[in-house]
């Protein structure tokens, strides 16, 4: 039962354009969502997060949008840079009980010069 | 701040041997650490939650007798893969729970690549 889904395994974007990565979830108890960036053979590094009380959070080039009714979130990167090429994971958790993160399958983003 | 290390970064072992992986929070104390496994091109799957001074909580389908977890101090958790087999070959990642901006966050280690021959 995949509670967090990233349906696009890969995405290719031209440098300078906007990258949009999508994530869907099924568990309505999730109330905190995070995006991580991961390079091969390294652990994930935190990028940006959003609480369910918000519908948008922005940090520099990165913006996360949350649509609770659709159980959908997206990460926008603009402008995209070659250094953004990595695998991006969305993750979700509930504020109740154990602080377990549930990860999506990841989307490999490639920024073309 | 909030640095998590893992040792070793990679290990190759023979089938049937045991391998211990260490996870350390270097500049903060973590009462809770998590162990994940990632197979190629797949998601990070939580294996177990490790609480300092108590038994780990394993996720469904994870054999606790095969994956021994010890969290003896607030800065160290170990995962021992006992009697490893080729199907245990994977990328093992730990995380430690700490505070960031007044909120609880997980900080991830760099991972350990285990290859069982």
């Amino acid at each position: 039962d995949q509670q967090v889904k990233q349906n696009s395994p890969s995405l290719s974007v031209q440098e300078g354009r906007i990258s949009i990565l999508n994530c869907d979830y099924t568990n309505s108890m999730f109330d905190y969502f995070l995006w991580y960036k991961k390079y091969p053979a390294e652990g994930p590094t935190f990028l940006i997060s959003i609480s369910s009380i918000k519908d948008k959070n922005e940090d520099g080039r990165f913006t996360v949008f949350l649509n609770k009714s659709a159980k959908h979130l997206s990460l926008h990167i603009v402008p995209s840079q070659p250094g953004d090429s990595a695998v991006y994971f969305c993750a979700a958790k509930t504020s109740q009980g154990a602080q377990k993160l549930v990860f999506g399958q990841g989307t490999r983003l490639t920024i073309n010069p | 701040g909030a640095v998590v290390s893992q040792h070793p970064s990679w290990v190759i072992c023979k089938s049937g041997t045991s391998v211990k992986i260490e996870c350390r929070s270097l500049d903060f104390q973590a009462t809770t650490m998590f162990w994940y496994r990632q197979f190629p091109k797949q998601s990070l799957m939580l294996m177990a939650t490790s609480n300092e001074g108590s038994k780990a909580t394993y996720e469904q389908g994870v054999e606790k007798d095969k994956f021994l977890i010890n969290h003896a101090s607030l800065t160290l958790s170990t995962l021992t893969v006992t009697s490893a087999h080729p199907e245990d070959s994977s990328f093992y990642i730990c995380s430690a729970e700490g505070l960031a901006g007044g909120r609880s966050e997980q900080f991830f280690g760099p991972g350990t690549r285990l290859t069982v021959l």
Side-chain angles (χ1 to χ4, degrees):
Chain A
D1 176 29
Q2 189 73 30
Q3 297 185 64
V4 179
K5 296 180 183 179
Q6 292 175 259
N7 292 316
S8 298
S10 64
L11 176 67
S12 187
V13 175
Q14 195 157 3
E15 182 179 0
R17 299 286 185 107
I18 184 171
S19 296
I20 300 176
L21 297 100
N22 294 302
C23 180
D24 298 292
Y25 62 97
T26 57
N27 189 340
S28 57
M29 297 300 292
F30 290 145
D31 56 9
Y32 195 66
F33 304 89
L34 308 92
W35 283 95
Y36 288 87
K37 180 179 180 179
K38 185 181 181 301
Y39 294 112
E42 293 184 12
T45 54
F46 170 76
L47 204 54
I48 193 169
S49 63
I50 188 167
S51 165
S52 61
I53 62 173
K54 294 184 175 181
D55 54 18
K56 177 182 175 181
N57 188 25
E58 190 173 351
D59 183 3
R61 296 187 298 116
F62 303 92
T63 303
V64 56
F65 295 92
L66 175 62
N67 183 333
K68 289 188 290 295
S69 60
K71 293 190 176 66
H72 176 84
L73 64 153
S74 60
L75 173 67
H76 292 211
I77 306 173
V78 57
S80 301
Q81 299 173 354
D84 296 330
S85 296
V87 177
Y88 289 78
F89 289 95
C90 70
K93 67 178 182 178
T94 68
S95 54
Q96 304 297 322
Q99 298 289 304
K100 300 194 301 185
L101 285 174
V102 180
F103 283 85
Q105 306 96 312
T107 296
R108 179 176 300 279
L109 175 65
T110 303
I111 306 301
N112 302 308
Chain B
V3 178
V4 176
S5 70
Q6 278 184 244
H7 178 79
S9 56
W10 59 271
V11 57
I12 301 172
C13 69
K14 292 182 179 180
S15 185
T17 60
S18 295
V19 174
K20 180 185 282 188
I21 302 170
E22 293 185 349
C23 177
R24 293 183 185 270
S25 56
L26 297 185
D27 50 3
F28 66 103
Q29 294 183 327
T31 55
T32 304
M33 291 185 174
F34 301 86
W35 287 96
Y36 295 83
R37 179 170 51 184
Q38 185 189 24
F39 292 107
K41 297 185 179 180
Q42 293 188 25
S43 182
L44 282 76
M45 298 299 295
L46 180 65
M47 298 175 66
T49 303
S50 166
N51 294 295
E52 187 265 338
S54 64
K55 290 184 179 180
T57 303
Y58 290 82
E59 294 300 302
Q60 193 173 9
V62 178
E63 300 174 58
K64 57 183 175 183
D65 293 332
K66 180 169 184 61
F67 298 99
L68 300 179
I69 291 172
N70 184 284
H71 193 161
S73 79
L74 289 172
T75 59
L76 174 64
S77 175
T78 61
L79 168 69
T80 301
V81 183
T82 62
S83 186
H85 289 284
E87 57 266 28
D88 298 322
S89 297
S90 187
F91 192 58
Y92 292 87
I93 306 173
C94 74
S95 70
E97 191 170 64
L99 287 176
R103 192 179 179 100
S104 175
E105 297 285 357
Q106 287 188 34
F107 300 95
F108 286 83
T112 297
R113 169 75 60 195
L114 170 63
T115 302
V116 184
L117 303 177

